[in-house]
Amino acid sequence: MIADYLIMAFLGISVVFNLLGSIALHRFPDVYTRLHGATKCTTFGTMFAVFAVIVHSVVRLKETGNPKYLQMAIHSFVAMFALLMTNPVGAHAIAKAAHLSGYMPKRAVVDAYMKRREENEC
Amino acid sequence: MMFFYATLLIGIAGLITLLRLILGPSVPDRVVALDTMNTLVVAAMVLLGAAYERAIYIDIAIVYALLSYVGTLIIAKYLQGGLS
């Protein structure tokens, strides 16, 4: 009974953060701020989707004793771990590639990466 | 049943992201939208695996996450000047 409410709460957090991440792509002005909004929100939302699946499969494992549910919990944890390790690295690669290929941040006051690049070239 | 509704709402988020992928004024915008869509597909795959009670869908989600990471890195490498 408590597990049902826990699953509902986790799924609600997951859906809200995924929707916010996709709306952030439309509300922010340039590439870097869009990356900031989308990457963090969708990673957090997917984490909570996996938590909901883990709670559901642990409850079903206790009810039925079928080892399929243990496999489901462990594999969804592995999926979350892979996403958690690879998503920030991909976001950094996109940001660096956008800066190197000439898309500058709009309305930026300080661009420390540009300063570092100029110092290295001179 | 709750997992189906959550998958439906994540699909709506994917459609909003697809709009940015089509509209995106510059190339890095489209890459960001594609990366977001990959994460949303992984979330939807895990939720569908729990909804249909098939563990094989979650294995597909693991492989998709790793392959989309490689794809994003290759596109970023291509954007910053050459695949050499």
Side-chain angles (χ1 to χ4, degrees), chain A residues 15-31:
Chain A
V15 163
V16 164
F17 271 89
N18 277 326
L19 278 173
L20 280 179
S22 61
I23 289 170
L25 281 173
H26 290 266
R27 297 289 298 168
F28 278 131
D30 64 345
V31 184

Side-chain angles (χ1 to χ4, degrees), chain A residues 31 49 51 55 73 79 115:
Chain A
V31 184
F51 287 158
V55 171
K115 224 169 96 184

Side-chain angles (χ1 to χ4, degrees), chain B residues 3-63:
Chain B
F3 289 106
F4 283 111
Y5 290 124
T7 314
L8 183 71
L9 286 171
I10 286 179
I12 291 171
L15 284 183
I16 298 171
T17 311
L18 186 68
L19 208 63
R20 174 52 66 196
L21 191 98
I22 295 169
L23 292 177
S26 64
V27 179
D29 279 325
R30 291 171 209 258
V31 182
V32 172
L34 187 70
D35 193 40
T36 310
M37 264 183 90
N38 286 329
T39 312
L40 289 178
V41 166
V42 171
M45 225 37 163
V46 171
L47 287 178
L48 274 184
Y52 288 117
E53 310 213 327
R54 298 270 172 85
I56 192 83
Y57 287 7
I58 297 171
D59 297 352
I60 295 173
I62 298 172
V63 175

Side-chain angles (χ1 to χ4, degrees), chain A:
Chain A
M1 203 60 206
I2 298 170
D4 271 349
Y5 288 117
L6 203 61
I7 290 171
M8 260 200 233
F10 282 168
L11 283 182
I13 292 171
S14 155
V15 163
V16 164
F17 271 89
N18 277 326
L19 278 173
L20 280 179
S22 61
I23 289 170
L25 281 173
H26 290 266
R27 297 289 298 168
F28 278 131
D30 64 345
V31 184
Y32 308 98
T33 46
R34 275 174 191 157
L35 206 56
H36 153 81
T39 306
K40 279 190 286 195
C41 279
T42 51
T43 308
F44 193 74
T46 308
M47 261 175 66
F48 273 88
V50 169
F51 287 158
V53 172
I54 287 175
V55 171
H56 173 253
S57 52
V58 165
V59 169
R60 295 287 289 161
L61 178 69
K62 274 193 175 176
E63 280 176 0
T64 62
N66 194 343
K68 183 179 79 176
Y69 295 108
L70 183 65
Q71 183 196 2
M72 200 187 272
I74 292 174
H75 284 204
S76 54
F77 185 79
V78 170
M80 185 190 79
F81 189 74
L83 213 62
L84 218 61
M85 287 296 119
T86 59
N87 234 348
V89 183
H92 273 86
I94 293 171
K96 193 184 172 193
H99 201 279
L100 282 177
S101 65
Y103 295 98
M104 291 301 132
K106 279 177 189 156
R107 286 179 283 174
V109 182
V110 176
D111 194 350
Y113 187 54
M114 191 71 196
K115 224 169 96 184
R116 217 176 69 196
R117 270 173 64 195
E118 282 169 353
E119 279 171 3
N120 284 340
E121 279 168 8
C122 292

